[in-house]
């Protein structure tokens, strides 16, 4: 690799946290790839995956939106969600386009590539798998629940999540992207329903262990009711290690500013609280800790700050 080649950065995740990271990273002079979960089974995504027997398009749609460079009106159209009409109500235009392109090309991943071309996407978007997969959770009491959208509802401590069919076959391009990366970022998001569904696909953990890249986890700022009640930062990391083994993570990025009282009160209504950063425990796990102010507040809700996180990540290379 010559000095002039841009560094390869791979972001793994889904949900709302991932597009935030990608919007900032696409401004950096890097070769960017996103590996995205397809385990979603709620709403429009869930209906399309059962009716069309295709992987769930919702998280992919949001990543396309984050990485595309088109007129705002076209993006608004892509993200438009229908509110009227029997069959259409609740569907988003982007999900329908992905479903249509999957039918036209005969393959979900090819469909994504074609839409990415049309919408001028910067970087590569890989579904973690090119097939329909079903997320299951086993709780500490032994009960098993099926379906990403059902998992937090039980409000019990989760022991592990697993996928069926077993094995799910990872997209070979996704595995290769991790192997060839200079930096791999595990995005913040719902730990058991957005982050882990990617990591537990066979060969992915192995690729994370064997890649020459530094693997960094951007830790969540708030806990999530039904998934991570009272979890500390090390609990998040421990859950990842319990699922895919040790030696996969080298660094963790944590937010280092106190969260305003009034913001905490808003989250408390949803049984969420700031994640406690037990740094000593993280160090004992052999992790490098990167503390930065990486969050911004919008109408009493917290979001990772796109530009700040991108700069921190870029500096790691």
């Amino acid at each position: 690799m010559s000095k002039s080649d841009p560094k390869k950065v791979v972001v793994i995740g889904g949900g709302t946290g991932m597009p935030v990271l990608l919007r900032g990273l696409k401004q950096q002079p890097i070769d960017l790839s996103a590996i995205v979960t397809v385990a979603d089974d709620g709403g429009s995504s869930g209906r399309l995956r059962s009716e069309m027997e295709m992987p769930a398009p919702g998280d992919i749609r949001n990543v396309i939106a984050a990485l595309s460079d088109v007129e705002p009106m076209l993006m608004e159209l892509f993200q438009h969600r229908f509110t009227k009409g029997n069959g259409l109500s609740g569907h988003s235009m982007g999900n329908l386009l992905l479903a249509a392109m999957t039918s036209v090309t005969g393959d979900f991943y090819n469909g994504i590539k074609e839409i990415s071309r049309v919408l001028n996407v910067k970087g590569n978007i890989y579904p973690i798998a090119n097939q329909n997969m079903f997320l299951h959770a086993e709780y500490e009491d032994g009960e098993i629940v099926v379906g990403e959208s059902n998992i937090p509802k039980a409000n019990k401590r989760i022991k592990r999540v697993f996928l069926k069919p077993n094995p799910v076959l990872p997209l070979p391009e996704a595995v290769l992207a991790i192997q060839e990366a200079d930096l791999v970022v595990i995005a913040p998001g719902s730990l058991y329903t957005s982050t882990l569904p990617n990591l537990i696909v066979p060969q992915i953990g192995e690729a994370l262990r064997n890649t020459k890249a530094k693997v960094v986890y951007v830790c969540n700022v708030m806990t999530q009711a039904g998934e991570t009640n009272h979890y500390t930062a090390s609990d998040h990391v421990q859950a990842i290690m319990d699922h895919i083994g040790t030696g996969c993570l080298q660094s963790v990025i944590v937010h280092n500013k106190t969260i305003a009282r009034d913001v905490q009160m808003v989250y408390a209504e949803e049984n969420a609280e700031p994640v406690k950063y037990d740094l000593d425990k993280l160090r004992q796990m052999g992790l490098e800790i990167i503390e930065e102010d990486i969050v911004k507040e919008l109408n009493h809700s917290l979001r990772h700050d796109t530009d700040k996180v991108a700069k921190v990540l870029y500096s790691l290379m």
Side-chain angles (χ1 to χ4, degrees), residues 8 22 64 101 131 138 140 143-144 203 217 232 245 257-258 284 295 298 304 309 311 314:
K8 293 180 174 173
L22 294 171
I64 290 173
M101 200 60 104
Q131 73 195 85
E138 182 187 346
E140 301 259 292
E143 189 198 350
I144 290 178
Q203 295 169 34
Y217 171 47
T232 63
K257 292 275 181 291
T258 309
Q284 283 163 14
V295 171
L298 281 172
H304 279 89
V309 178
K311 287 196 175 79
Y314 189 67

Side-chain angles (χ1 to χ4, degrees), residues 13 15-16 31 40 44-45 49 66 72 78 80 86 88 118 120 145 156 186-187 228 241 254 256-257 263 281 295:
T16 50
D31 177 347
D40 181 14
S44 169
S45 258
R49 66 178 269 182
F78 185 70
H80 175 72
N86 252 347
L88 275 179
V118 172
N120 201 14
V145 163
K156 295 191 291 196
I186 297 172
T228 53
M241 289 180 174
V254 295
N256 67 356
K257 292 275 181 291
V263 177
K281 205 154 179 194
V295 171

